Amino acid sequence: MLAVETSGGPLLVPYEIRRSPRGRRIRLSLGQQNQAVLRVPAHGSVREALVFLRSQGDWLQKQLRKAPPPMGLTEYLTKHPRLSGLGREFAVTLNFTTTRPFFVYSDKSGEVEFRYPAGEGSGPALGKLVREFAEKVLPPWIRVLAGQRGLRIRRVSIRDQGTRWGSCAASGTVSLNWRLVLLPVDLHDYVLWHELAHLTEMNHAESFWNLLRSYDPGTDRHDRDLTRVSRGLMRLGRPGSL
């Protein structure tokens, strides 16, 4: 925590420092847990970064007023009881169990039930189950989509990226953020098409976007919608927000 100066007096804010190998100057942003994030050049001074942070109190206060309070994954799924996978939406049911946490789902009924212990540790247990659900439904579905375009994927990995929905390596390995199952089906599939387009175009040149539009005609709308919801969803399932 650090006390920063604002026009209304000192404000205590949590912060973190991230080294930026290619950065040339100190940059400040608001993180997914409403913390101040300082990006400092590889050989930059941490002391100078903290001095800079102390001078940005009014800006931080303004951003915090606009930012929604962090929501936990359990609260989110209670309010929005649906997940995406296998090209469809699944209705979510949350229940407790006194035994080992588990989940069951049916592609036919479009239902998924998560059972996990009540009390302390329930949030992390649910987060682990949702990630396991993602590991079940994401790899087979992106392979189905790839097959529709005659594309070949070498390997699919499910990860816990901090800011990215997915990535594609030149080797043909696709990495997907488990939070994709939290997206509506159209945005969920848009991200998968985005990574599949990178199997052919390993950049974001106009040729990439034209290829992606041929895969998903709603690309431009979906890209805007994804940007709008990403920050909130990327917060979910993290320590302190489960």
Side-chain angles (χ1 to χ4, degrees), residues 5 22 44:
E5 294 301 323
R22 297 182 182 180

Side-chain angles (χ1 to χ4, degrees), residues 123-181:
L126 176 60
K128 184 173 184 294
L129 290 177
V130 175
R131 178 165 179 166
E132 290 175 359
F133 173 75
E135 290 170 347
K136 287 285 187 181
V137 299
L138 287 174
W141 185 241
I142 194 172
R143 292 188 183 279
V144 167
L145 297 183
Q148 293 176 5
R149 299 291 176 170
L151 301 170
R152 294 187 62 185
I153 300 173
R154 181 181 178 186
R155 188 168 68 90
V156 182
S157 66
I158 308 303
R159 300 178 60 192
D160 185 26
Q161 296 100 319
T163 59
R164 303 176 69 178
W165 287 108
S167 61
C168 178
S171 63
T173 295
V174 175
S175 298
L176 300 174
N177 192 318
W178 66 265
R179 294 173 186 81
L180 278 166
V181 297

Side-chain angles (χ1 to χ4, degrees), residues 26-42:
I26 299 169
R27 300 176 66 91
L28 174 64
S29 62
L30 194 65
Q32 292 158 352
Q33 296 303 312
N34 288 348
Q35 81 278 28
V37 178
L38 283 165
R39 289 177 172 81
V40 183

